[in-house]
């Protein structure tokens, strides 16, 4: 227990050191980002910096209407506002870069055993590998790059990329043939054909994504920037027009007050946190083990109306699996299990392996060694497979082929077994008859197994207003059975790539945002056409290249989490924009009556806050403006949580919490700051 406690303490120290380092780097970057060329990405904060510079200059210009101490405080708080907005962005970037550094560290100095033209292998640096190169990876070695397994079966630990500690099986010729660079082989060996060039691997994309090097602003961010710039220009005109009004009334407003007033009125809150919100959203996506090739896909995920999912490998496991066995009349369950297991013992197909796995759990038996049996492989001519062992003949196969093998007609099959065969076929499954020494033993039910938990996730999508459509090449009967089990809203049976494209285009023509999940080469056109295309990492290379999202865990229900992140991004920006604009209502009541009370005594009735003086009003508003950004940094990084609800309910909640809160908070905050400044004698 003592050793465990020490380990926990050591881990806590490491985490504390990491967080401390992250904050130090972010603090330094906050000053680096004061470069106007950097702040051009955030026009609102560029305005704040320019006003901070101007206010700093005005501190050295004597003005009897403004105490120098107040002018200095205004300048300091304006600089504080810019620095903390930069700090929020740097902190969001730092979290991603820390993850990128850990990913990059694992790939440095990696070597590979590349096959030469003569068939021999040479050791080269992994960075020199090119698309099409073939490499050999042994147990304990790291896979040097993304590729497809062309020979071998092995367990792979993908924790370095996906975070999943349990090894997964990768083998040639199946649905699990894709491997990811920087993952470790824990058993056997693999021959891998590299599928990408340097700089294009999954690891490279993750590093580029979390570092933000290739991240461009999404249309939503661009639109919000335009809104913020428009509001800033409007308030600039308002502030500029105040001086003529003051002169007309026989007075004059100090320039430093007008500059400070501009900062309090423009939407500095959302302007200062906008970049941090976007970066933090992409960071949350990376932590879900989803690679986004564009921010547009994440934004679009928040507005998805229809989700198309390929059945094979996405909704189902992709390989038919044994789900039940039914014995013929007069045959015991144990006799059927023994015959079926022996008939499948030499069958290396996924179906054969699933039969062995299923029956071993039900009826353990002493199995013969592979060297003791004569394997009869499946062939298209016989449509049977099995083994000959100890003078016994065990076979399994298609109904008609198995009956012909033992010399039975279809009408001679016992009625109870015949009904089970028909029931399996009508449910979309595949019946395989089992025979032993020329006698019928029973039937095996093979079915395309729906992935666990997928029905519940589809129900959650339905609550978010997203309609699910299963796409499959199966006949309508089989498709309907699987669709009912999975809980999808609609199904497209006997689907071709053209049919998928037509459905997506039809939905888009109706104004719907469409998402598509797939893993096969035949899904590539639909993935490219969809607004949000998410490919499974263990799918084909064509699917991964066509999609704009790649799920490293190959879990189609992950799209629910992606939708959640997309909605959080949209709602967080909307919430903070509402809060920022609502702030202006309170600031008007705080500052304008105080500034014009001496010129227009009638405005005194609007001075509901009863602030001490014009100088106190301006300084209190500037201090509140800076501190509110600090207070909202955690919300910007975490995001506003979204629950399943209608758009009207979300809007009402947004207005109640952030609209009303944006009005009330400044009234309370500015008044408290005014009392504190007055009590401390700072104004």
């Amino acid at each position: 227990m003592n050793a465990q406690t020490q380990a926990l303490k050591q881990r806590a120290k490491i985490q504390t050191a990491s967080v401390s380092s992250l904050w130090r780097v972010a603090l330094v970057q906050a000053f680096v980002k004061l470069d106007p060329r950097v702040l051009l990405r955030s026009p609102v904060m560029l305005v704040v910096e320019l006003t901070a510079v101007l206010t700093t200059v005005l501190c050295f210009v004597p003005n009897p209407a403004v105490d120098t101490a107040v002018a200095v405080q205004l300048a300091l708080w304006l600089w504080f506002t810019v620095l903390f907005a930069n700090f929020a962005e740097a902190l969001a970037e730092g979290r991603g870069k820390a993850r990128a550094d850990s990913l990059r560290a694992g790939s440095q100095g990696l070597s590979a055993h590349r096959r030469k033209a003569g068939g021999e292998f040479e050791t080269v640096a992994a960075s020199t590998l090119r698309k099409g190169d073939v490499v050999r990876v042994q147990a304990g070695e790291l896979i040097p790059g993304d590729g497809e397994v062309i020979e071998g079966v092995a367990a792979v630990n993908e924790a370095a990329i996906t975070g999943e500690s349990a090894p997964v099986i990768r083998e040639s010729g199946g649905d699990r043939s894709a491997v990811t660079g920087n993952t470790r082989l824990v058993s056997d060996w693999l021959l891998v054909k590299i599928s990408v060039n340097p700089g294009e691997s999954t690891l490279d994309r993750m590093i580029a994504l979390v570092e933000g090097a290739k991240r461009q602003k999404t249309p939503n961010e661009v639109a919000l920037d335009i809104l913020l710039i428009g509001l800033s220009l409007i308030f600039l005109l308002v502030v500029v027009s105040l001086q003529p009004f003051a002169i007309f009334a026989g007075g004059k407003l100090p320039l430093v007050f007008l500059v400070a007033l501009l900062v309090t009125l423009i939407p500095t809150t959302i302007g200062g946190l906008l970049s941090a919100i976007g970066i933090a959203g992409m960071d949350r996506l990376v932590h879900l083990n989803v690679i986004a090739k564009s921010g547009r896909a994440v934004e679009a995920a928040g507005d998805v109306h229809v989700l198309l999912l390929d059945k094979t490998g996405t909704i189902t496991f992709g390989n038919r699996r044994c789900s039940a066995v039914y014995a013929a009349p007069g045959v015991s369950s144990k006799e059927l299990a023994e015959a079926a297991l022996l008939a499948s013992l030499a069958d290396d197909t996924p179906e054969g392996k699933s039969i062995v796995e299923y029956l071993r759990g039900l009826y353990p038996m002493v199995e013969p060694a592979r060297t003791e049996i004569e394997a009869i492989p499946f062939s298209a001519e016989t449509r049977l497979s099995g083994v000959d062992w100890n003078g016994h003949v065990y076979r399994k196969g298609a109904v008609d082929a198995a009956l012909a093998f033992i010399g039975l007609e279809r009408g001679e099959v016992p009625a109870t077994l015949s009904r089970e065969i028909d029931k399996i076929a009508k449910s979309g499954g595949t019946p395989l008859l089992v025979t032993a020494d020329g006698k019928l033993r029973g039937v095996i039910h093979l079915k395309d197994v729906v992935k666990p938990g997928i029905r519940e996730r589809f129900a959650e999508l339905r609550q978010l207003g997203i309609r699910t459509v299963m796409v499959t090449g199966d006949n309508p009967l089989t498709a309907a059975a699987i669709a009912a089990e999975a809980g999808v809203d609609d199904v497209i049976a006997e689907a071709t790539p053209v049919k998928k494209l037509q459905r997506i285009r039809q939905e888009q023509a109706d104004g719907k945002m469409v998402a598509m999940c797939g893993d096969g080469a035949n899904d590539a056109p639909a993935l490219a056409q969809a607004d949000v295309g998410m490919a499974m990492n263990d799918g084909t290379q064509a699917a991964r290249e066509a999609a704009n999202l790649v799920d490293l865990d190959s879990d189609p229900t992950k799209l629910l989490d992606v939708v959640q992140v997309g909605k959080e991004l949209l709602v967080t920006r909307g919430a903070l924009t509402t809060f920022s604009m609502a702030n202006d209502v309170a600031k008007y009541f705080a500052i304008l009556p105080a500034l014009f009370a001496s010129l227009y005594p009638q405005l005194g009735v609007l001075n509901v806050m009863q602030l001490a003086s014009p100088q106190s009003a301006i300084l209190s508003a500037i201090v509140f403006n800076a501190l509110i950004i600090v207070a909202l940094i955690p919300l910007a990084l975490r995001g506003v949580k979204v629950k399943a609800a209608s758009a009207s309910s979300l809007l009402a909640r947004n207005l109640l919490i952030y609209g009303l809160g944006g009005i009330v908070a400044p009234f309370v905050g500015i008044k408290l700051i005014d009392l504190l400044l007055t009590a401390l004698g700072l104004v």
Side-chain angles (χ1 to χ4, degrees), residues 515-528:
M516 168 77 187
C517 272
D519 66 340
N522 63 336
D523 297 321
L527 288 168

Side-chain angles (χ1 to χ4, degrees), residues 97-393:
K97 287 181 179 179
R99 181 172 172 85
D101 290 341
S102 65
L103 290 170
R104 188 183 286 109
S107 62
Q108 291 176 347
L110 188 60
S111 61
H113 305 296
R114 182 173 59 189
R115 188 168 67 185
K116 296 192 293 186
E120 298 178 351
F121 289 87
E122 60 178 344
T123 302
V124 299
S127 58
T128 64
L129 294 175
R130 294 292 183 271
K131 186 175 182 178
D133 285 347
V134 176
V135 297
R136 183 187 63 205
V137 189
Q138 303 282 357
E141 296 178 345
L142 289 174
I143 297 174
D146 293 2
E148 302 282 338
V149 177
I150 59 175
E151 190 176 335
V153 181
V156 181
N157 185 343
E158 298 184 337
I161 298 295
T162 67
E164 179 59 52
S165 58
V168 294
I169 300 299
R170 293 289 181 256
E171 58 186 332
S172 61
D175 293 329
R176 308 287 288 182
S177 62
V179 291
T180 305
N182 209 46
T183 56
R184 188 177 298 277
L185 226 64
V186 295
S187 72
D188 303 293
W189 59 273
L190 292 176
L191 212 58
V192 177
K193 185 176 183 179
I194 300 298
S195 58
V196 296
N197 288 317
E200 301 174 355
S201 69
T202 298
L203 184 63
D204 293 321
R205 287 175 179 172
M206 286 187 73
I207 292 172
L209 178 65
V210 296
E211 287 186 327
K214 297 183 180 179
R215 181 183 175 274
Q216 297 180 348
K217 287 191 174 183
T218 63
N220 182 273
E221 286 179 282
V222 173
L224 191 51
D225 269 340
I226 294 172
L227 172 64
L228 299 183
I229 293 170
L231 289 173
S232 298
L233 290 174
I234 290 171
F235 286 123
L236 177 62
L237 293 174
V238 170
V239 171
V240 169
S241 67
L242 291 179
Q243 191 67 279
F245 274 107
I247 295 173
F248 177 77
K252 192 174 182 182
L253 297 175
L255 182 57
V256 69
F257 282 5
L258 291 175
V259 169
L261 177 62
L262 173 64
V263 172
T264 61
L265 293 182
I266 63 176
T268 51
T269 305
I270 182 62
L273 296 173
L274 182 59
S275 295
I277 294 169
I279 295 169
M282 300 298 283
D283 184 55
R284 288 198 295 277
L285 202 67
V286 170
H287 280 79
L288 289 172
N289 294 324
V290 175
I291 297 177
K293 298 180 184 178
S294 72
R296 182 188 298 267
V298 187
E299 298 281 357
D303 286 326
V304 164
H305 303 97
V306 181
L307 168 60
L308 274 69
L309 301 105
D310 179 57
K311 183 208 74 174
T312 305
T314 305
I315 291 178
T316 66
F317 283 103
N319 298 315
R320 294 172 302 166
R321 295 189 175 191
C322 177
S323 64
V325 291
Y326 303 97
V331 177
S332 70
S333 298
K334 187 174 182 180
E335 288 176 319
L336 169 60
E338 181 178 316
L341 190 147
L342 288 169
S344 308
L345 205 56
D347 187 350
D348 289 328
T349 65
E351 291 84 358
K353 291 177 181 177
S354 76
I355 295 171
V356 173
E357 181 183 351
Y358 179 83
L359 294 173
R360 276 175 178 166
L362 289 180
Y363 301 99
M365 60 172 285
V366 178
E367 301 172 15
R370 293 290 290 264
T371 55
E372 298 176 10
I373 59 177
E374 181 184 350
I376 308 298
F378 175 85
S379 71
E381 184 179 351
T382 63
R383 293 187 296 157
L384 293 170
S385 64
V387 300
D388 292 342
W389 174 58
N390 250 1
H392 299 287
V393 177

Side-chain angles (χ1 to χ4, degrees), residues 2-16:
N2 189 34
Q4 184 179 2
T5 303
Q6 289 180 349
L8 290 173
K9 287 182 178 179
Q10 184 65 24
R11 186 182 302 173
K13 286 181 181 179
I14 293 172
Q15 291 175 343
T16 302

Side-chain angles (χ1 to χ4, degrees), residues 235 238 261 265 583-594 606:
F235 286 123
V238 170
L261 177 62
L265 293 182
N583 273 347
D584 290 334
V585 176
K587 291 171 185 174
Y588 269 116
F589 279 94
I591 300 171
L592 292 182
L606 297 178

Side-chain angles (χ1 to χ4, degrees), residues 416-462:
T416 54
L417 192 62
S418 182
R419 283 195 295 270
E420 289 295 343
I421 293 171
D422 293 339
K423 185 178 177 181
I424 292 169
K426 288 179 180 178
S427 69
T430 302
L432 293 182
L433 287 186
V434 180
T435 68
D437 297 329
K439 295 183 179 179
L440 189 59
R441 289 286 186 252
V443 63
I444 298 171
H445 183 181
L446 291 181
K447 62 178 292 189
D448 213 351
V449 179
V450 172
K451 293 183 177 180
I454 203 165
R455 186 182 184 90
E456 291 74 17
R457 300 305 293 273
F458 286 164
E460 292 180 55
L461 286 170
R462 197 173 297 112

Side-chain angles (χ1 to χ4, degrees), residues 429-565:
T430 302
L432 293 182
L433 287 186
V434 180
T435 68
D437 297 329
K439 295 183 179 179
L440 189 59
R441 289 286 186 252
V443 63
I444 298 171
H445 183 181
L446 291 181
K447 62 178 292 189
D448 213 351
V449 179
V450 172
K451 293 183 177 180
I454 203 165
R455 186 182 184 90
E456 291 74 17
R457 300 305 293 273
F458 286 164
E460 292 180 55
L461 286 170
R462 197 173 297 112
Q463 288 182 339
L464 289 172
I466 299 173
R467 186 159 43 89
T468 52
V469 181
M470 186 183 81
V471 183
T472 176
D474 291 338
N475 63 70
L477 189 64
T478 301
I482 295 175
E485 185 178 352
V488 296
D489 299 312
D490 197 1
V491 60
I492 303 175
E494 298 177 340
T496 62
V498 174
K499 271 190 177 182
K500 298 175 189 178
L501 271 178
Q502 288 175 342
R503 179 60 178 264
I504 292 175
R505 288 171 178 167
Q506 177 188 337
E507 296 283 0
Q508 290 172 332
D510 292 337
K512 304 291 178 60
M513 296 286 284
V514 182
M516 168 77 187
C517 272
D519 66 340
N522 63 336
D523 297 321
L527 288 168
Q529 176 68 35
D531 300 288
V532 181
M534 189 169 80
M536 304 296 101
N537 189 47
D538 60 5
T540 62
Q541 186 67 19
R544 294 199 299 267
E545 289 178 355
N548 48 27
L549 295 173
V550 178
D551 175 26
L552 299 178
D553 296 327
S554 300
D555 176 9
T557 64
K558 185 76 68 64
L559 190 63
L560 177 62
D561 300 314
V562 176
V563 168
Q564 196 77 8
V565 170

